[in-house]
Amino acid sequence: MNATHDIENFYQGLVSHQLIIPTNVNGCYGRGAVFEDVLQRFDALVTRTAGADGAEEMTFPPILPRTLIETLGYMENFPQLAGSVHSFNGDERQAHELSERLRQGERWEDLLEPTDVMLTPAACYPVYPLFSGLLPAGGRLVTLHSWVYRHEPSIEPTRLQSFRIREYVRVGAPNVVVEWRDMWLQRGLALLQELGLPAKSDVASDPFFGRIGKMMAADQTDQRLKFEILTPVISTEKHTAVCSFNWHQDHFSSKFGIRQRNHELAHTACLGFGLERVTLALIKTHGFEPHKWPDVVRKNLWK
Ligand code: ZN
């Protein structure tokens, strides 16, 4: 086994233990019952850990308005990751052409047109417009579960095109938001370490597109706006992010007019656990058979 990278063996082990179900598209495998059980139990552990915080629970579909993607500047910053939904709006003649092209093995996608929606690239995006206006005293705290899409097909099992995020979003006064982020950074580390993961936190940046994007990423790192919790999964050297913490300052509140009681712009921050990635980290650390995992880990998850 290669000491630093173990993509192929890990993938084959996941398949042979029926933890994942391959398809013919990279980054698009199905989840078996045992994999899904671990994932749901980790999510329940997060819920128990944060229960006393009293977050409002919201659920959105894995699509969002194309106009929201435009407002958020996603196409300027991350065009390489976006996923757009297209459908057929044509007439009888074009429908005939479509089926004819399919029969001939020709390309047919240019007969589709963009719809009003795109695939959700970040779990928290749908909530920011809802915060518009004056916030209640103390701000708001929301939790979400969402499937998110990233166009980055890969054979690496932790890099999925579609995956689930358990997210918390805090909006309020700047100091409140930063304290909340710092509290969760410690809490998230403790939660993952109690599951036997050698987790560590580090400053991080988003994969902004292009040359200007590199500068934006450097700025994000300098300002310590993004942190990640990392743990070894497919590489002992380049660890995998399983949770990310983002302090947006007034990036979203300025776009949607989100104000504190004193009418100053609020700040927002969010954190998201990558549920598949945490599950994969647990499997990599403790083995392909969760019923044989250490008692202390099982006690935490199977409560
Ligand atoms: Zn977020």
CSV table of all heavy atoms in Angstrom, one decimal, residues 259-282:
chain,number,residue,atom,x,y,z
A,259,ARG,N,-29.8,44.2,8.6
A,259,ARG,CA,-29.3,45.2,9.6
A,259,ARG,C,-29.6,44.8,11.0
A,259,ARG,O,-30.5,44.1,11.3
A,259,ARG,CB,-30.0,46.5,9.3
A,259,ARG,CG,-29.7,47.0,8.0
A,259,ARG,CD,-30.2,48.4,7.6
A,259,ARG,NE,-29.6,48.8,6.3
A,259,ARG,CZ,-28.4,49.2,6.1
A,259,ARG,NH1,-27.6,49.5,7.1
A,259,ARG,NH2,-28.0,49.4,4.8
A,260,GLN,N,-28.7,45.2,11.9
A,260,GLN,CA,-28.9,45.0,13.4
A,260,GLN,C,-29.9,46.0,13.9
A,260,GLN,O,-30.3,46.9,13.1
A,260,GLN,CB,-27.5,45.3,14.1
A,260,GLN,CG,-26.4,44.5,13.5
A,260,GLN,CD,-25.1,45.0,14.2
A,260,GLN,OE1,-24.9,45.0,15.4
A,260,GLN,NE2,-24.1,45.4,13.4
A,261,ARG,N,-30.3,45.9,15.2
A,261,ARG,CA,-31.3,46.8,15.8
A,261,ARG,C,-30.8,48.3,15.6
A,261,ARG,O,-31.6,49.2,15.5
A,261,ARG,CB,-31.5,46.5,17.3
A,261,ARG,CG,-31.9,45.1,17.5
A,261,ARG,CD,-33.2,44.7,16.8
A,261,ARG,NE,-34.4,45.4,17.2
A,261,ARG,CZ,-35.6,45.3,16.6
A,261,ARG,NH1,-35.7,44.5,15.5
A,261,ARG,NH2,-36.6,45.9,17.0
A,262,ASN,N,-29.5,48.5,15.7
A,262,ASN,CA,-29.0,49.9,15.6
A,262,ASN,C,-28.9,50.4,14.1
A,262,ASN,O,-28.3,51.4,13.8
A,262,ASN,CB,-27.6,50.1,16.3
A,262,ASN,CG,-26.6,49.2,15.7
A,262,ASN,OD1,-26.8,48.6,14.6
A,262,ASN,ND2,-25.4,49.1,16.3
A,263,HIS,N,-29.4,49.6,13.2
A,263,HIS,CA,-29.5,49.9,11.8
A,263,HIS,C,-28.1,49.7,11.1
A,263,HIS,O,-28.0,50.0,9.9
A,263,HIS,CB,-30.1,51.2,11.5
A,263,HIS,CG,-31.6,51.3,11.8
A,263,HIS,ND1,-32.5,51.2,10.9
A,263,HIS,CD2,-32.2,51.3,13.0
A,263,HIS,CE1,-33.7,51.2,11.5
A,263,HIS,NE2,-33.5,51.3,12.8
A,264,GLU,N,-27.1,49.3,11.8
A,264,GLU,CA,-25.8,49.1,11.1
A,264,GLU,C,-25.9,47.7,10.4
A,264,GLU,O,-26.7,46.8,10.9
A,264,GLU,CB,-24.6,49.1,12.1
A,264,GLU,CG,-24.2,50.5,12.5
A,264,GLU,CD,-23.1,50.5,13.6
A,264,GLU,OE1,-22.5,49.4,13.8
A,264,GLU,OE2,-23.0,51.5,14.2
A,265,LEU,N,-25.1,47.5,9.4
A,265,LEU,CA,-25.1,46.2,8.7
A,265,LEU,C,-24.7,45.1,9.7
A,265,LEU,O,-23.8,45.3,10.5
A,265,LEU,CB,-24.1,46.2,7.5
A,265,LEU,CG,-24.6,46.8,6.2
A,265,LEU,CD1,-23.5,46.8,5.2
A,265,LEU,CD2,-25.9,46.2,5.7
A,266,ALA,N,-25.4,44.0,9.6
A,266,ALA,CA,-25.0,42.8,10.4
A,266,ALA,C,-23.8,42.1,9.8
A,266,ALA,O,-23.4,42.4,8.6
A,266,ALA,CB,-26.2,41.9,10.5
A,267,HIS,N,-23.3,41.1,10.5
A,267,HIS,CA,-22.3,40.2,9.9
A,267,HIS,C,-23.0,38.8,9.9
A,267,HIS,O,-23.9,38.5,10.6
A,267,HIS,CB,-21.1,40.1,10.8
A,267,HIS,CG,-20.1,41.2,10.5
A,267,HIS,ND1,-18.7,41.1,10.8
A,267,HIS,CD2,-20.2,42.4,9.9
A,267,HIS,CE1,-18.1,42.1,10.3
A,267,HIS,NE2,-19.0,43.0,9.8
A,268,THR,N,-22.4,37.9,9.0
A,268,THR,CA,-22.9,36.6,8.9
A,268,THR,C,-21.7,35.6,9.0
A,268,THR,O,-20.6,36.0,8.6
A,268,THR,CB,-23.7,36.2,7.7
A,268,THR,OG1,-22.9,36.4,6.5
A,268,THR,CG2,-24.9,37.1,7.5
A,269,ALA,N,-22.0,34.4,9.5
A,269,ALA,CA,-21.0,33.3,9.5
A,269,ALA,C,-21.7,32.0,9.3
A,269,ALA,O,-22.9,32.0,9.7
A,269,ALA,CB,-20.1,33.3,10.7
A,270,CYS,N,-21.1,31.0,8.7
A,270,CYS,CA,-21.7,29.7,8.6
A,270,CYS,C,-20.7,28.6,8.9
A,270,CYS,O,-19.5,28.9,8.8
A,270,CYS,CB,-22.3,29.5,7.3
A,270,CYS,SG,-21.1,29.3,5.9
A,271,LEU,N,-21.2,27.5,9.3
A,271,LEU,CA,-20.3,26.3,9.3
A,271,LEU,C,-21.0,25.1,8.8
A,271,LEU,O,-22.2,25.0,8.8
A,271,LEU,CB,-19.8,26.0,10.8
A,271,LEU,CG,-20.9,25.5,11.7
A,271,LEU,CD1,-20.8,24.0,11.8
A,271,LEU,CD2,-20.7,26.1,13.1
A,272,GLY,N,-20.3,24.3,8.1
A,272,GLY,CA,-20.9,23.1,7.5
A,272,GLY,C,-20.1,21.8,7.7
A,272,GLY,O,-18.8,21.9,7.5
A,273,PHE,N,-20.7,20.8,8.2
A,273,PHE,CA,-20.1,19.5,8.2
A,273,PHE,C,-20.3,18.8,6.9
A,273,PHE,O,-21.5,18.7,6.5
A,273,PHE,CB,-20.6,18.6,9.4
A,273,PHE,CG,-20.2,19.0,10.8
A,273,PHE,CD1,-21.0,19.9,11.5
A,273,PHE,CD2,-19.0,18.6,11.3
A,273,PHE,CE1,-20.7,20.3,12.8
A,273,PHE,CE2,-18.6,19.0,12.6
A,273,PHE,CZ,-19.4,19.8,13.3
A,274,GLY,N,-19.3,18.3,6.3
A,274,GLY,CA,-19.5,17.5,5.1
A,274,GLY,C,-19.8,16.1,5.5
A,274,GLY,O,-18.9,15.3,6.0
A,275,LEU,N,-21.1,15.7,5.4
A,275,LEU,CA,-21.5,14.4,6.1
A,275,LEU,C,-20.9,13.2,5.4
A,275,LEU,O,-20.5,12.3,6.2
A,275,LEU,CB,-23.1,14.3,6.0
A,275,LEU,CG,-23.8,15.4,6.9
A,275,LEU,CD1,-25.3,15.3,6.7
A,275,LEU,CD2,-23.4,15.3,8.4
A,276,GLU,N,-20.8,13.2,4.1
A,276,GLU,CA,-20.1,12.0,3.5
A,276,GLU,C,-18.6,12.0,3.9
A,276,GLU,O,-18.1,10.9,4.1
A,276,GLU,CB,-20.2,12.1,1.9
A,276,GLU,CG,-21.6,11.6,1.4
A,276,GLU,CD,-22.7,12.6,1.5
A,276,GLU,OE1,-22.4,13.7,1.9
A,276,GLU,OE2,-23.8,12.3,1.1
A,277,ARG,N,-18.0,13.2,3.9
A,277,ARG,CA,-16.6,13.2,4.3
A,277,ARG,C,-16.3,12.7,5.7
A,277,ARG,O,-15.3,12.0,5.9
A,277,ARG,CB,-16.0,14.6,4.0
A,277,ARG,CG,-15.8,14.9,2.6
A,277,ARG,CD,-14.9,16.1,2.4
A,277,ARG,NE,-14.5,16.2,1.0
A,277,ARG,CZ,-13.8,17.2,0.6
A,277,ARG,NH1,-13.3,18.1,1.4
A,277,ARG,NH2,-13.4,17.3,-0.7
A,278,VAL,N,-17.2,13.1,6.6
A,278,VAL,CA,-17.0,12.7,8.0
A,278,VAL,C,-17.1,11.1,8.0
A,278,VAL,O,-16.3,10.4,8.7
A,278,VAL,CB,-18.0,13.3,9.0
A,278,VAL,CG1,-17.9,12.7,10.3
A,278,VAL,CG2,-17.7,14.8,9.1
A,279,THR,N,-18.2,10.6,7.3
A,279,THR,CA,-18.4,9.2,7.3
A,279,THR,C,-17.2,8.5,6.7
A,279,THR,O,-16.7,7.5,7.3
A,279,THR,CB,-19.7,8.9,6.4
A,279,THR,OG1,-20.7,9.7,7.0
A,279,THR,CG2,-20.0,7.4,6.4
A,280,LEU,N,-16.6,9.0,5.6
A,280,LEU,CA,-15.5,8.4,5.0
A,280,LEU,C,-14.2,8.4,5.9
A,280,LEU,O,-13.4,7.5,6.0
A,280,LEU,CB,-15.2,9.1,3.6
A,280,LEU,CG,-16.2,8.8,2.5
A,280,LEU,CD1,-16.0,9.8,1.4
A,280,LEU,CD2,-16.1,7.4,2.0
A,281,ALA,N,-14.1,9.6,6.6
A,281,ALA,CA,-13.0,9.7,7.6
A,281,ALA,C,-13.1,8.6,8.7
A,281,ALA,O,-12.1,8.0,9.1
A,281,ALA,CB,-12.9,11.1,8.2
A,282,LEU,N,-14.3,8.4,9.2
A,282,LEU,CA,-14.5,7.4,10.2
A,282,LEU,C,-14.2,6.0,9.7
A,282,LEU,O,-13.5,5.2,10.4
A,282,LEU,CB,-16.0,7.5,10.7
A,282,LEU,CG,-16.3,8.7,11.6
A,282,LEU,CD1,-17.9,8.8,11.7
A,282,LEU,CD2,-15.7,8.6,12.9
